[in-house]
Amino acid sequence: MLNFITIKNVANYDSQGIQLDNLKKINFIYGANGTGKTTISNFLDDQSSNNFNHCQVTWKHGISLKCQVYNKSFRERNFGKGEIAGVFTLGQAAKQDTELIKQKEEQLAALKEEGEKKKETLQKQIRTKEEKEIELREFLWKSVYKKYEGTFKEAFRGSINKEKFQQTLISALKKGKRELPTHEELEKKYKTIFGKTQQKINSIPTIKYDRLVKMEEDDIWKKKIIGKKDVEIAKIIQLLNIDDWVNQGRNFIKESKICPFCQQETITESFREQIEHFFDETYTQLIDNIKSLSVEYIKYIDDINIILSQIETTEKSDENSKLNLDLFSTHLRSAVSQLSENKELLSIKLKEPSRVIELRSTHVDLDALSTLIDSANDEISKHNKIVSNYNRERDQLILDIWELIAKENKLEIEDRENKITGLQQGINNLEKELSEKRDSYSKVNNEIKELNRNITGVQSAVDEINNTLRYYSFTNFEIVPSNLLENHYQIRREDGSLAESTLSEGEITFITFLYFLQLAKGSKYKEKVSYERILVVDDPISSLDSNILFVVSTMLKQVIRDIKSGTGNVKQLILLTHNVYFHKEVSFIDGRTKEDKYTNYWILRKNNNTAFLQSFNMKNPIKSSYELLWQELKDKENSSCISLQNTMRRIIENYFKILGKYGDDDLIKKFSSKEEQEICRSLISWINDGSHSINDDLFIEYQSKTIDNYLSVFEKIFVLTDHKGHYDMMMGPAVSTCNWAV
């Protein structure tokens, strides 16, 4: 069945158009001539036409049916060519054959119902799966993309829409089996690759301090350097512990006999020899060793100080330095302090060789400084490698980032994906079952076609049409077999002449409608006799007298009963008409039932040459011609000025002149003042003029400004004639426009 019809951008339908929604089994559309009814029927008759590119329909369960349309185009296609194609129906076939077809059709209906239920379940399952997919996509976008966007935004380039991001992340999750860098490592590498344009960095000079450490650990610093003990003067020197003092003074007695201490000529050659023997070669060598080591050590520490200070200064000026400057400066200050202390100790040792000293070990700080330099150089090496292999390193980084964030969200993603996979398995099973149902349906349908092919015929339809014509006194013509084409017929008079060109408009309308009803039960093709279909009937009572109108409405009411009960192959009816009486007849239920769950109603109107639709759901808006006039007046917002003029004139004519026996002057005299009489006279003049002519643009503009005043005068007429009760009954008190005091 049809669920929804949209008509727009064609004929008098604008870009907004109309929407017929909530279509039921039976659908009545009332509309005056020219409102666009035939446009609707033409669209349903040929939905592929380029004229209806912006129109569309939707079907219940997505199953489309053939729309069989009766309108002016139908009459023109099937009559006026001399030959009428035969209609195949089951006719009076053998009971056994018809029973078998009936069983097959019941079986087909059951298969269709099962298939529709399966399809509904399948569609529900598909919707649930789609909802879960949307939930997964939203989770990945809000909880994953938004979380990492600020950190790894450039890595997501090319995937910054929800669908693409999901696809890339799921793909990365399926790949990720290898060991990945840490999050911190990836962030650091990301800043290098996607930061400012990078250049290679020079490595930091390394320091060598093994020799320095060995000198600090040399035993000579702890050795007391003194003269020989077997020299006679040694006893007094060692007793007084004046080795260093004597050693310093011996330079003064090498060439002089005067003692540097007492200034007397007490220095003898023997004394000199004893002093020189006391400070022998061994002593001198040790002293030389101390001097040599001290000089080397001091030079070493000066060089290291220069190197380390330059490193510190250079790296502090480099904003992209890889060196941990805080730690480096701390260890540098500590090492410099220790080296300075050692320098002082060396000075003491040189002055006092007999003193034992212990140099501070600097290897801890120097080890730390060396490690910091090595670590920075490792980072520099990685940086330079990235710069040298930018494209490869960038691609690898992006891959690592995707796999890492996929791994970090693996459990949540897999849980959601498993639910979607389960739903997909259910969908696959349902699609398989539905396919099997379709195969069974096709098989049974083909069996019905074959049975129809064997027992259908066109004569039954011809006989039924001729019987109906005779019954309603159309006896001067009938349908007979064609002499030219098989299964084609002609309309002939009793004298054998072709009658089609001489038929009246009413006769053509009646016979074409009878032919249409036979097509509704059968088909022009044997194999399509039992096809389910939708009937669209557009004004079938033009040019018919009241008796035939009653016959047509009676026939359609039988079609309606069959549709409601599920009998036959017609599943839905859309009836369009401009005739109020016919609408009342064909939509009549039983006099007691006001609403029917199988039926919906609409009124199609036109305002400013644009069609629009008003829905009444299950409530029939058409009661009588007179009530319809009041309905038009109540719905004045959706009516044109011209139609309102005509509506008010007809109400006054019906109620006051025919029923109330009031003339124009009688109504005017009901107003007490001359001013009020002129207003009433103006209203009646305006009504009569407006209902019989089309006003020019200037007058239309005037109407648009005064229409509310005239509506108020219209109400006042009922008030002054003591018929306010009738006005309220027809319009309802809530819609009063009268502001005058009575």
Side-chain angles (χ1 to χ4, degrees), residues 512-576:
T512 53
F513 186 71
L514 295 178
Y515 180 74
F516 174 79
L517 288 184
Q518 290 301 314
L519 276 176
K521 295 190 292 184
S523 173
K524 294 180 182 179
Y525 309 98
K526 289 184 177 182
E527 63 276 8
K528 295 184 178 181
V529 169
S530 299
Y531 273 24
E532 294 182 345
R533 64 203 69 183
I534 294 170
L535 294 192
V536 180
V537 181
D538 180 9
D539 265 341
I541 43 73
S542 298
S543 305
L544 295 181
D545 60 34
S546 58
N547 291 332
I548 302 304
L549 184 149
F550 177 76
V551 172
V552 170
S553 65
T554 301
M555 291 178 173
L556 281 173
K557 285 167 75 172
Q558 182 58 50
V559 172
I560 291 171
R561 283 192 290 270
D562 290 342
I563 293 174
K564 290 179 179 180
S565 65
T567 304
N569 50 14
V570 178
K571 300 303 176 184
Q572 190 176 30
L573 172 67
I574 297 175
L575 190 145
L576 306 102

Side-chain angles (χ1 to χ4, degrees), residues 406-420:
K407 183 179 179 181
E408 289 177 349
N409 296 277
K410 179 179 179 182
L411 293 178
E412 182 71 23
I413 294 172
E414 287 183 342
D415 179 61
R416 291 173 182 270
E417 277 213 306
N418 288 338
K419 291 177 181 177
I420 293 171

Side-chain angles (χ1 to χ4, degrees), residues 19 256 399 421 423 501 574 661 672 689:
Q19 288 78 40
S256 176
L399 182 63
T421 301
L423 288 167
S501 61
I574 297 175
K661 305 299 182 182
S672 58
D689 178 61

Side-chain angles (χ1 to χ4, degrees), residues 423-686:
L423 288 167
Q424 184 59 54
Q425 289 174 348
I427 289 170
N428 294 340
N429 292 335
L430 285 168
E431 286 178 339
K432 182 180 178 183
E433 293 173 9
L434 188 59
S435 178
E436 291 171 353
K437 292 292 179 188
R438 287 194 181 109
D439 290 343
S440 298
Y441 183 93
S442 179
K443 180 182 177 182
V444 174
N445 196 34
N446 288 333
E447 291 173 355
I448 293 173
K449 286 180 183 178
E450 189 60 33
L451 288 168
N452 284 334
R453 194 175 286 112
N454 293 333
I455 66 173
T456 54
V458 297
Q459 191 58 46
S460 177
V462 171
D463 292 343
E464 191 167 338
I465 292 174
N466 285 332
N467 288 338
T468 305
L469 289 171
R470 284 192 293 271
Y471 185 79
Y472 291 104
S473 300
F474 290 89
T475 57
N476 58 341
F477 61 88
E478 64 178 349
I479 296 179
V480 297
S482 170
N483 296 325
L484 302 175
L485 297 173
E486 183 181 3
N487 292 327
H488 278 67
Y489 291 78
Q490 297 174 325
I491 304 173
R492 291 185 184 176
R493 297 198 179 278
E494 293 177 341
D495 61 3
S497 63
L498 294 180
E500 189 169 346
S501 61
T502 60
L503 293 175
S504 69
E505 184 66 24
E507 290 171 333
I508 291 176
T509 299
F510 188 48
I511 196 170
T512 53
F513 186 71
L514 295 178
Y515 180 74
F516 174 79
L517 288 184
Q518 290 301 314
L519 276 176
K521 295 190 292 184
S523 173
K524 294 180 182 179
Y525 309 98
K526 289 184 177 182
E527 63 276 8
K528 295 184 178 181
V529 169
S530 299
Y531 273 24
E532 294 182 345
R533 64 203 69 183
I534 294 170
L535 294 192
V536 180
V537 181
D538 180 9
D539 265 341
I541 43 73
S542 298
S543 305
L544 295 181
D545 60 34
S546 58
N547 291 332
I548 302 304
L549 184 149
F550 177 76
V551 172
V552 170
S553 65
T554 301
M555 291 178 173
L556 281 173
K557 285 167 75 172
Q558 182 58 50
V559 172
I560 291 171
R561 283 192 290 270
D562 290 342
I563 293 174
K564 290 179 179 180
S565 65
T567 304
N569 50 14
V570 178
K571 300 303 176 184
Q572 190 176 30
L573 172 67
I574 297 175
L575 190 145
L576 306 102
T577 183
H578 74 286
N579 188 293
V580 175
Y581 182 74
F582 175 70
H583 188 287
K584 283 176 57 63
E585 283 296 320
V586 77
S587 63
F588 180 78
I589 303 175
D590 55 17
R592 298 181 302 276
T593 305
K594 300 301 180 183
E595 295 181 359
D596 175 20
K597 65 179 181 179
Y598 298 114
T599 307
N600 268 354
Y601 300 87
W602 290 267
I603 290 182
L604 188 63
R605 306 176 190 274
K606 185 169 71 172
N607 192 6
N608 294 326
N609 206 35
T610 300
F612 64 96
L613 190 71
Q614 185 176 5
S615 172
F616 293 85
N617 296 317
M618 294 186 293
K619 186 175 181 64
N620 190 344
I622 309 301
K623 296 177 173 59
S624 70
S625 298
Y626 183 65
E627 289 173 309
L628 186 62
L629 291 173
W630 284 96
Q631 182 65 41
E632 290 278 347
L633 198 61
K634 284 194 288 185
D635 196 32
K636 60 181 181 296
E637 289 81 6
N638 295 323
S639 300
S640 67
C641 293
I642 294 172
S643 65
L644 281 175
Q645 294 171 0
N646 191 47
T647 299
M648 286 191 282
R649 176 186 63 80
R650 291 175 65 188
I651 290 174
I652 290 175
E653 285 178 347
N654 274 274
Y655 190 74
F656 288 107
K657 295 184 178 180
I658 298 174
L659 301 179
K661 305 299 182 182
Y662 285 98
D664 292 347
D665 290 339
D666 295 325
L667 294 177
I668 293 170
K669 289 177 182 178
K670 289 291 181 183
F671 292 88
S672 58
S673 70
K674 183 177 180 181
E675 181 181 0
E676 290 173 339
Q677 289 179 356
E678 288 302 319
I679 292 173
C680 182
R681 190 187 306 279
S682 174
L683 171 65
I684 295 172
S685 173
W686 176 70

Side-chain angles (χ1 to χ4, degrees), residues 254-275:
K254 286 183 179 180
E255 302 296 335
S256 176
K257 294 180 180 181
I258 298 172
C259 174
F261 308 111
C262 65
Q263 296 297 305
Q264 301 294 320
E265 289 189 9
T266 58
I267 304 303
T268 64
E269 204 57 42
S270 172
F271 181 76
R272 268 196 202 93
E273 288 178 0
Q274 286 188 54
I275 291 297

Side-chain angles (χ1 to χ4, degrees), residues 97-321:
D97 294 332
T98 56
E99 284 295 324
L100 181 57
I101 289 176
K102 184 178 179 181
Q103 291 173 11
K104 292 290 183 183
E105 287 178 341
E106 290 173 353
Q107 184 181 354
L108 193 69
L111 285 169
K112 182 180 178 182
E113 184 178 357
E114 292 171 9
E116 287 177 351
K117 288 179 180 178
K118 289 285 183 189
K119 190 168 184 178
E120 283 182 359
T121 305
L122 174 61
Q123 290 172 341
K124 183 178 179 181
Q125 192 89 330
I126 290 172
R127 286 194 298 271
T128 304
K129 175 175 172 279
E130 289 172 348
E131 288 169 2
K132 294 297 180 185
E133 288 173 336
I134 291 171
E135 288 176 9
L136 172 59
R137 188 157 55 246
E138 291 300 319
F139 163 75
L140 294 178
W141 187 254
K142 293 177 181 177
S143 301
V144 181
Y145 175 79
K146 293 297 182 182
K147 177 181 177 182
Y148 297 103
E149 179 186 16
T151 308
F152 297 128
K153 185 173 183 178
E154 289 298 324
F156 298 152
R157 189 173 294 279
S159 298
I160 50 177
N161 65 65
K162 296 178 182 180
E163 292 76 12
K164 185 65 176 175
F165 183 82
Q166 177 181 351
Q167 292 171 7
T168 309
L169 193 61
I170 298 300
S171 176
L173 182 63
K174 292 176 181 177
K175 290 179 185 174
K177 302 292 182 184
R178 60 194 175 87
E179 195 67 28
L180 294 169
T182 65
H183 199 285
E184 292 72 18
E185 290 171 336
L186 289 180
E187 278 195 51
K188 189 180 295 183
K189 188 174 180 181
Y190 177 87
K191 289 176 182 177
T192 298
I193 289 181
F194 293 108
K196 295 180 180 178
T197 303
Q198 300 295 324
Q199 303 292 333
K200 285 189 175 182
I201 302 174
N202 294 326
S203 60
I204 301 171
T206 57
I207 56 172
K208 296 181 180 180
Y209 54 92
D210 293 348
R211 176 63 183 153
L212 189 69
V213 172
K214 285 182 180 180
M215 286 191 286
E216 288 173 349
E217 294 174 350
D218 200 304
D219 292 337
I220 197 169
W221 312 117
K222 298 177 183 179
K223 188 177 182 65
K224 293 183 69 173
I225 301 174
I226 58 177
K228 290 178 67 176
K229 294 180 180 181
D230 56 353
V231 179
E232 183 177 350
I233 199 172
K235 292 179 182 180
I236 187 66
I237 292 173
Q238 291 176 354
L239 177 64
L240 297 174
N241 194 23
I242 57 173
D243 299 64
D244 297 327
W245 182 74
V246 173
N247 184 45
Q248 291 177 18
R250 70 188 177 111
N251 291 324
F252 295 99
I253 64 171
K254 286 183 179 180
E255 302 296 335
S256 176
K257 294 180 180 181
I258 298 172
C259 174
F261 308 111
C262 65
Q263 296 297 305
Q264 301 294 320
E265 289 189 9
T266 58
I267 304 303
T268 64
E269 204 57 42
S270 172
F271 181 76
R272 268 196 202 93
E273 288 178 0
Q274 286 188 54
I275 291 297
E276 291 302 322
H277 283 115
F278 182 77
F279 295 104
D280 62 359
E281 186 179 347
T282 301
Y283 179 89
T284 302
Q285 188 175 355
L286 287 172
I287 293 299
D288 290 342
N289 288 343
I290 290 173
K291 288 180 180 179
S292 175
L293 281 173
S294 295
V295 170
E296 184 182 0
Y297 186 83
I298 290 170
K299 184 178 185 308
Y300 220 112
I301 64 175
D302 287 343
D303 291 343
I304 285 181
N305 268 333
I306 291 170
I307 293 171
L308 293 175
S309 296
Q310 286 178 343
I311 290 172
E312 182 182 36
T313 301
T314 301
E315 295 303 313
K316 280 184 176 179
S317 65
D318 185 0
E319 62 180 10
N320 295 318
S321 174

